[in-house]
Amino acid sequence: MGNILYRYGSRYYINMTNRCPCRCTFCVRDSTPALGDADNLWLDREPTVSEVEDALLSVDLSQTPEVVFCGYGEPTERFDDLKEIAAFIHDRLHKRVRLDTNGLGSLINGRDIVPEMVGLVDSVSISLNAKDAGEYLDVTRSRFGIESYDAVLRFIEECRKQIDGVTVSIVGGSIPQSSEDECARIADRMGVAFRVR
Ligand code: SF4
């Protein structure tokens, strides 16, 4: 059915959905079927919560500093399941939880999801992708349209206020250098870390 869990470097990543509201011009899904030690990150069907938990119990997590929700889709498409699995990772596996997200989870779920992440997600990496709303729509082709960028900025701001480890990122080379520089300034003004990935 495709890999539910894969290792990349020292971390394990949970691949729980292929759904995503974006079609980014730089999406790695378009160039390779898998990352890390995975064979295939395209899922025939989405794994159940129990199947994800069983996959986590089947690997040696002793050397991994955190478990990451990432994969070939947007994890907040399954936000309620994500919360259940994050609690399992904390309570049963005693590991930190990171969420890699496009920052559109509140639009996807129709409510501000950040307060529900507090205590379950220890750090968040959010794709900023662009310096403004128009550039963002050009590179992500989000189904939410032009309002997407402001939603991402609100998500970043709420995460900064409520969660300790917040990083925003862009994909190097996907936008002009002047836009990359502006993204770094936006991150600085918002008081969050910035990374080119
Ligand atoms: S948000 Fe992530 S998974 Fe979705 S299209 Fe963009 S790069 Fe791919």
Side-chain angles (χ1 to χ4, degrees), residues 14 28 30 37 45-46 57 60 76 85 90 99 114 116 122 128 137 141 148-149 167 171 186:
I14 298 172
V28 69
D30 296 333
D37 71 350
R45 63 171 176 81
E46 293 186 342
L57 288 169
D60 176 9
T76 60
I85 296 164
H90 276 168
L99 169 63
V114 178
E116 299 171 53
D122 303 295
L128 179 61
L137 195 54
R141 299 178 283 189
S148 301
Y149 191 69
T167 302
V171 172
I186 291 168

Side-chain angles (χ1 to χ4, degrees), residues 18-30 71-74 101-102 104 127 129 136 139-140 171 197:
N18 291 149
R19 284 181 280 158
C20 181
C22 299
R23 290 185 300 115
C24 297
T25 54
F26 49 76
C27 185
V28 69
R29 304 187 300 180
D30 296 333
Y72 268 18
E74 169 50 38
T101 177
N102 59 23
L104 295 170
S127 304
N129 287 333
Y136 183 90
V139 295
T140 68
V171 172
R197 69 184 201 276

Side-chain angles (χ1 to χ4, degrees), residues 5-85:
L5 191 66
Y6 63 99
R7 186 164 50 80
Y8 192 103
S10 63
R11 289 167 172 77
Y12 275 92
Y13 292 78
I14 298 172
N15 177 45
M16 58 195 297
T17 185
N18 291 149
R19 284 181 280 158
C20 181
C22 299
R23 290 185 300 115
C24 297
T25 54
F26 49 76
C27 185
V28 69
R29 304 187 300 180
D30 296 333
S31 53
T32 177
L35 299 170
D37 71 350
D39 301 314
N40 175 23
L41 293 172
W42 291 109
L43 300 163
D44 295 336
R45 63 171 176 81
E46 293 186 342
T48 64
V49 169
S50 296
E51 285 173 330
V52 175
E53 292 174 352
D54 286 347
L56 287 164
L57 288 169
S58 73
V59 296
D60 176 9
L61 294 172
S62 59
Q63 303 302 313
T64 194
E66 62 187 0
V67 178
V68 186
F69 288 91
C70 184
Y72 268 18
E74 169 50 38
T76 60
E77 288 275 3
R78 294 186 60 187
F79 186 59
D80 290 336
D81 292 338
L82 182 157
K83 288 189 292 180
E84 193 174 338
I85 296 164

